[in-house]
Amino acid sequence: MKFTVMMCAGALLLAGGAMAQVKSQEGNNAMSKTTISFGTATPGGGFPLYGNAFAEVMNAADPTLSIEPRNTKGSNENIPLLEAGTIDIATVAGEPSYEAFMGIGRPKATKLKILTAMYSSPGMFVVRADSPYKTIQDLVGLSVAFGAKGSGLPILSRYILDGIGLKQDEDFKSIYLDRAGDGPAMVQDGRAAALWGGGIGWPGFTAMAESASGARFIVPDAGEIAKIRAKHTFLKPLTVPAGSYPKQTEAIASVGSWSYILVRESLPDDVAYRLAKTLHGAEATFCNKLAQACETTAANTVAAAPNTDLIHPGVLRYFREIGVAR
């Protein structure tokens, strides 16, 4: 069900294939309530955290919206769910988005569109602060939790490791999680030497940094970053500012990409326009609610999109109105 309509005085379902709409009448004022299904990822990861905050801010900013987050297996499930029209919008990591847009590993490029760039995701490993591991090479041959099975994070790590001549499933004892939130405990109790993740305010990194053992972050060095970017040019140099995690006193330089909220191809232009207008009208509120959301701006979406044709036409119309796109 893509859109739901509810009527106080008797429900009327308007079936039009792509969309159903319900109207609610209060006194003399008619108000339509639009329900948007929003796919995120497994509990304990960054996408559900972001998605729940997004829904809360959007629903408060526009009472006629009802954005309903739902847990999924992550980016690799969200793309086919969107393409099938099973959900309306979804969080998708940068690497799966890139592969879908470019038609890599699939019969043809996706027709999904961008609603917004969410936040940048600098890729990093985290280990216990009392561990002896300080470089990526130190982790070779060890057990590493690379993230949830359907998440985009293991795809990011594959590209980064490939850029420095390492193979994720051959050079490491790779662990893929059923739930993103299970990773920190595995590092803390020794079942894994390191946990891979990305972004600012990522829950797994926060849990490690707040633990009794503390945390040390491991990223590619300057020479490795140059090699990675030479081989995989879509990856960008990104920085985790000092203080992004407890006891992190210095900025951390790595590489990564931007995650997106993508929308199904058939999402009507007026709905996409309304979502964009509501979201970017509430940028300050969203930023105050969630640190990662401070990067969710109209300007960042235009800059992060591989090209503007991949931004939904309804969103692009709003961006042109406010002067951030041509």
Side-chain angles (χ1 to χ4, degrees), residues 7 19 38 44 70 110 190 194 233 264 302:
M7 217 168 207
M19 175 172 75
F38 183 14
R70 55 176 272 196
T110 189
T233 56
R264 58 184 172 88
V302 173

Side-chain angles (χ1 to χ4, degrees), residues 85-247:
T86 306
I87 56 178
D88 300 309
I89 66 176
T91 53
V92 182
E95 288 66 42
S97 297
Y98 172 79
E99 292 181 347
F101 290 145
M102 299 298 113
I104 297 171
R106 47 185 290 138
K108 59 182 179 180
T110 189
K111 294 183 179 179
L112 302 180
K113 297 295 184 182
I114 295 169
L115 173 67
T116 188
M118 295 166 51
Y119 49 75
S120 58
S121 295
M124 302 192 294
F125 293 96
V126 66
V127 299
R128 289 172 55 115
D130 58 2
S131 79
Y133 316 121
K134 296 184 179 179
T135 69
I136 294 175
Q137 292 296 333
D138 290 341
L139 299 175
V140 170
L142 301 179
S143 297
V144 176
F146 280 104
K149 294 173 182 176
S151 166
L153 284 172
I155 301 176
L156 171 60
S157 54
R158 280 196 179 92
Y159 277 110
I160 288 177
L161 293 171
D162 178 72
I164 55 176
L166 294 173
K167 295 183 178 180
Q168 187 161 298
D169 295 321
E170 295 180 19
D171 293 313
F172 303 86
K173 296 175 183 175
S174 301
I175 301 169
Y176 300 102
L177 307 169
D178 291 321
R179 291 166 49 97
D182 294 340
M186 297 184 74
V187 178
Q188 289 160 15
D189 66 18
R191 284 176 289 162
L195 170 67
W196 171 261
I200 296 167
W202 190 63
F205 289 162
T206 300
M208 282 296 298
E210 290 177 343
S211 69
S213 62
R216 177 188 303 120
F217 294 102
I218 296 176
V219 293
D221 62 29
E224 289 171 333
I225 287 174
K227 289 179 181 178
I228 293 164
R229 296 197 63 224
K231 187 166 185 179
H232 301 298
T233 56
F234 69 92
L235 293 175
K236 304 178 185 301
L238 297 171
T239 300
V240 179
S244 296
Y245 294 100
K247 301 178 183 178

Side-chain angles (χ1 to χ4, degrees), residues 238-318:
L238 297 171
T239 300
V240 179
S244 296
Y245 294 100
K247 301 178 183 178
Q248 179 215 338
T249 58
E250 297 181 357
I252 303 170
S254 187
V255 290
S257 62
W258 283 78
S259 296
Y260 302 101
I261 294 178
L262 301 185
V263 304
R264 58 184 172 88
E265 180 190 2
S266 56
L267 190 77
D269 287 4
D270 62 330
V271 175
Y273 175 92
R274 180 175 160 200
L275 290 172
K277 185 174 182 179
T278 302
L279 172 61
H280 297 297
E283 282 180 5
T285 303
F286 199 9
C287 176
N288 287 335
K289 186 170 189 63
L290 188 71
Q292 300 91 306
C294 296
E295 292 187 289
T296 306
T297 67
N300 279 344
T301 298
V302 173
N307 64 69
T308 54
D309 290 343
L310 294 174
I311 299 173
H312 192 287
V315 176
L316 205 52
R317 175 163 67 92
Y318 173 72

Side-chain angles (χ1 to χ4, degrees), residues 69-92:
R70 55 176 272 196
N71 293 122
T72 67
K73 294 178 182 178
S75 300
N76 290 336
E77 183 181 32
N78 288 344
I79 290 173
L81 287 174
L82 287 168
E83 290 176 327
T86 306
I87 56 178
D88 300 309
I89 66 176
T91 53
V92 182

